[in-house]
Amino acid sequence: MPAGSLTILVIDENRIRASIIEAGLRDAGYQHVTLVHDVAGIARRIAEIEPDVIVIDLENPNRDMLENMFQLSRAVKRPIAMFVDRSDQASIEAAVDAGVSAYVVDGLRKERIKPILGMAISRFNAFSRMARELEEARSELESRKVIDRAKGILMKSRGLSEEAAYALLRKTAMNQNRKIAEIAQSLVTAAGLLDPLEGE
Amino acid sequence: MTAAHQITAGFMPLFDSAVLVAAGEMGFAAREGVELNLHRETSWANIRDRIAVGHFDVAHMLGPMPLACSLGLTPLASETVVPFSLGLGGNCITVSNAVWEGMEAHGAAPDLDPARAGAALGALIRERAGREPLRFAVVHPHSGHNYELRYWLAACGIDPDRDIEIVIVPPPFMADALAAGRIDGYCVGEPWNSAAVAAGTGRIVTVKALLWRNSPEKVIGVRKVWAQQNPDALAALLRALHHSARWCQDPANRGELAALMARPAFLGQPEAIQMPALTGRLQLGGGAERRVEAFFLPFDKAANFPWKSHALWFYTQMVRWGQLPHTPQNLAIARDCYRPDLYRSALKPLGVALPGANAKVEGALKVATPVGSAGASLVLGPDGFFDGQIFDPDRIDAYIAGQKRA
């Protein structure tokens, strides 16, 4: 049976991540991939799709409901194995770390599932890296804004040049072993308390 | 200064995680040299998996769940033991307004009486014969909720598999599912019953504390290997949990406890909606209010003692509902899962009251009774099932045979 003949269902409320996984599976030669974002009516969908493998994110609070449904549903032959194989501790840990889990129809050989789960794990990791970088970039921008405001306050109230204002912030941060953005935030907050106009 | 013991614990956002949460947040763990790292989880399946792969050393678990793990009923089987119970009671059975109206027409009253409510529900179900069966939700197949709902229905002449449908819904979604008409009723811990009442979409018909008085609910599940390798850490944790439970039970701390649990990192629900669980004063819907004695006990009545009879009752219900065959091997695994010995050895240095026995006959105590215990006196009961049945853990075969379906 070639890779393409396996039917894979991806359940993920995060549409972006789901489509990243889908793209990866298609690249790897799995042509029968279905995405589901909402678990409402999932029993009917599973009966229609008859997946061999179900990939689901661990953050989905409906996992308990899905597992029970798998056990009761005739659409999916029970029992359902989870992750790759009970004995494969490394794969299980990697999957849980990445936040992904796969339900596998009984009788499907371990070697067939491993690449699918491996792909899902790497895509999950790539997605969280991307999300983290985006968050860092956003907070970087926020920091820069608050530092600019703090500089403005120092320039106005102490009559400093922009350069001197920044140097003062940096020196204070170093003395207190804190980040410049934190010092800047404290200053902006304090100024807001002292002067309602500054606080806006 | 770093703590002597680092312990990672998973919990679900439910009120009965309070003893574990307060142990970490109110300084009880730190005083025992434990740094308790609490992780909020989104499903019982995640709790179970993370215990199995070693992400969590201990976790807030459904009482039957460590049994299911140890008996191999779960996708990732793992030996899990129970050295501490997080409390007694705390659940309710809630139905939609429409079902309540139907029940009222058959004699139900807002008095929480399980027999009366069950008879009314049975009459309603017979009246509806031929129509789509009523759908009830519980939180997990291996949960006290599933077994107490089924016990109540069966005792009232309703077959939980043939006469109704039982589905699984995560606790925070229960009230919404009821409001949307996807389910007709449910059994869940607080505050998710009071939430439906507050929203005007559901009525509380009976409570766990009346179905089986002083019955077990959540427990601390511990990876057996971790427990064996870290006996000092476990004993320190159990002492911290003991002090935390005592603090949670004290009415003087209710406000502080509700404020703690209201934080988004824990339960994330307003303080007011947690008060019914703490006071036992329940709004049932439609303006009716009832006070339930011992609705939820985080400490009193030996609430933290992991009775083997509790585990064995869960075992009999797993057999009853076809989740597991009754074999000597399975029975032995169930018997070994709850560990009063670990509880006793950890708390002995504190000089607190400890039961002398590991199991008790459930349903034998008609009134509150002081019992033989080490140290200070200990009061148990009243206990027992609403239908007057008795569960004697020494007569398991007869109990299982007596519950066989025709």
Side-chain angles (χ1 to χ4, degrees):
Chain A
M1 203 159 60
S5 65
L6 283 184
T7 302
I8 304 168
L9 172 63
V10 177
I11 303 173
D12 198 329
E13 284 174 343
N14 188 318
R15 284 166 189 275
I16 299 170
R17 187 168 59 196
S19 49
I20 292 175
I21 294 170
E22 183 192 22
L25 286 168
R26 288 194 189 281
D27 286 352
Y30 298 99
Q31 291 312 311
H32 306 286
V33 183
T34 309
L35 305 186
V36 168
H37 307 295
D38 186 357
V39 294
I42 190 77
R44 197 168 34 81
R45 295 287 286 143
I46 289 180
E48 286 163 8
I49 298 162
E50 292 191 52
D52 299 297
V53 182
I54 298 169
V55 174
I56 181 171
D57 71 303
L58 290 193
E59 289 309 308
N60 195 322
N62 284 301
R63 278 191 68 208
D64 292 321
M65 183 264 273
L66 283 167
E67 285 190 5
N68 186 54
M69 210 197 60
F70 297 158
Q71 283 181 356
L72 300 177
S73 167
R74 276 183 216 96
V76 187
K77 282 165 258 147
R78 70 178 304 271
I80 298 294
M82 202 199 156
F83 302 111
V84 176
D85 182 277
R86 281 177 203 211
S87 60
D88 192 349
Q89 193 69 17
S91 292
I92 293 169
E93 277 184 30
V96 174
D97 279 333
V100 61
S101 154
Y103 292 90
V104 180
V105 173
D106 193 32
L108 207 56
R109 285 208 323 282
K110 173 175 159 182
E111 309 83 80
R112 308 285 314 275
I113 306 310
K114 225 170 164 157
I116 297 174
L117 188 59
M119 205 282 311
I121 291 170
S122 73
R123 293 283 161 142
F124 260 74
N125 284 335
F127 178 82
S128 31
R129 209 160 39 237
M130 194 178 80
R132 204 167 49 238
E133 280 165 12
L134 261 173
E135 173 58 27
E136 276 167 14
R138 198 191 58 80
S139 86
E140 174 84 359
L141 194 68
E142 288 294 309
S143 303
R144 219 173 296 159
K145 272 192 208 157
V146 80
I147 290 169
D148 280 345
R149 261 186 92 191
K151 277 195 296 192
I153 294 166
L154 286 177
M155 286 156 71
K156 202 168 97 187
S157 61
R158 308 254 316 243
L160 296 174
S161 68
E162 186 175 349
E163 211 170 317
Y166 185 74
L168 180 57
L169 283 173
R170 196 178 53 195
K171 186 164 153 257
T172 312
M174 278 168 66
N175 287 346
Q176 298 192 13
N177 198 19
R178 287 162 69 193
K179 289 189 178 133
I180 294 181
E182 283 174 34
I183 299 294
Q185 185 60 58
S186 314
L187 183 62
V188 169
T189 307
L193 289 172
L194 294 171
D195 177 3
L197 287 178
E198 184 56 48
E200 289 163 327
Chain B
M1 199 186 83
T2 44
H5 309 292
Q6 302 277 331
I7 298 179
T8 305
F11 72 97
M12 285 284 280
L14 287 162
F15 188 76
D16 53 21
S17 66
V19 169
L20 180 61
V21 169
E25 297 298 306
M26 304 306 297
F28 300 109
R31 241 167 280 161
E32 298 293 333
V34 173
E35 189 180 321
L36 193 56
N37 304 304
L38 294 165
H39 290 261
R40 182 171 136 141
E41 267 306 338
T42 50
S43 68
W44 292 112
N46 278 13
I47 293 247
R48 177 201 66 207
D49 293 347
R50 299 206 134 145
I51 276 272
V53 303
H55 278 191
F56 297 151
D57 307 314
V58 309
H60 170 226
M61 281 188 163
L62 298 157
M65 191 171 223
L67 287 169
C69 291
S70 299
L71 287 161
L73 295 181
T74 56
L76 281 178
S78 66
E79 282 194 289
T80 314
V81 296
V82 175
F84 194 92
S85 169
L86 286 172
L88 306 174
N91 300 343
C92 309
I93 295 173
T94 296
V95 300
S96 68
N97 292 333
V99 168
W100 174 250
E101 276 171 32
M103 287 171 65
E104 257 185 332
H106 291 286
D111 58 4
L112 299 177
D113 178 1
R116 186 172 182 170
L121 181 62
L124 176 65
I125 288 171
R126 283 188 294 280
E127 179 190 275
R128 290 172 45 95
R131 288 167 63 189
E132 184 108 321
L134 293 177
R135 187 180 291 155
F136 278 72
V138 296
V139 306
H140 197 274
H142 308 128
S143 65
H145 314 82
N146 189 23
Y147 304 137
E148 68 211 32
L149 176 67
R150 284 168 175 272
Y151 187 94
W152 174 58
L153 293 169
C156 296
I158 302 167
D159 186 316
D161 289 317
R162 285 175 220 156
D163 300 335
I164 65 156
E165 188 186 350
I166 296 182
V167 297
I168 305 297
V169 173
F173 296 176
M174 290 281 192
D176 283 349
L178 193 75
R182 287 199 298 278
I183 54 175
D184 301 296
Y186 57 78
C187 179
V188 73
E190 277 291 84
W192 306 112
N193 302 281
S194 292
V197 171
T201 53
R203 311 281 288 235
I204 297 176
V205 294
T206 191
V207 300
K208 181 183 178 85
L210 294 177
L211 292 170
W212 177 12
R213 299 178 83 167
N214 295 310
S215 59
E217 190 37 53
K218 302 302 185 308
V219 296
I220 289 291
V222 182
R223 272 193 307 128
K224 192 176 180 183
V225 175
W226 184 86
Q228 283 164 347
Q229 290 169 349
N230 301 276
D232 296 343
L234 179 59
L237 174 70
L238 297 185
R239 284 191 291 272
L241 290 170
H242 167 83
H243 292 302
S244 175
R246 187 189 293 256
W247 183 85
C248 288
Q249 183 80 61
D250 187 344
N253 301 323
R254 279 177 187 159
E256 206 174 342
L257 177 58
L260 168 66
M261 292 305 287
R263 278 155 52 181
F266 304 116
L267 187 53
Q269 291 289 314
E271 290 170 52
I273 220 159
Q274 300 175 51
M275 279 305 163
L278 282 165
T279 60
R281 225 186 300 279
L282 299 180
Q283 296 297 325
L284 311 185
E289 187 186 286
R290 273 286 177 286
R291 189 166 182 282
V292 181
E293 193 75 29
F295 172 78
F296 171 64
L297 297 175
F299 180 79
D300 284 352
K301 304 278 177 73
N304 308 125
F305 192 74
W307 295 98
K308 282 186 184 283
S309 40
H310 289 169
L312 291 169
W313 187 79
F314 288 141
Y315 169 79
T316 65
Q317 301 307 293
M318 290 176 169
V319 172
R320 181 182 193 181
W321 305 115
Q323 295 175 337
L324 185 77
H326 176 37
T327 66
Q329 291 87 340
N330 284 341
L331 180 60
I333 293 171
R335 209 186 289 282
D336 290 343
C337 183
Y338 277 40
R339 296 288 300 275
D341 58 320
L342 295 175
Y343 178 90
R344 224 180 254 122
S345 69
L347 297 198
K348 206 162 201 173
L350 300 183
V352 296
L354 294 168
N358 286 339
K360 59 190 166 88
V361 178
E362 303 291 337
L365 300 176
K366 300 300 172 206
V367 293
T369 312
V371 295
S373 60
S377 76
L378 188 67
V379 177
L380 297 181
D383 61 11
F385 299 87
F386 80 100
D387 59 352
Q389 294 289 311
I390 281 178
F391 172 62
D392 181 345
D394 288 336
R395 303 188 66 242
I396 281 192
D397 291 343
Y399 191 76
I400 287 175
Q403 289 187 328
K404 271 225 175 82
R405 275 188 277 192

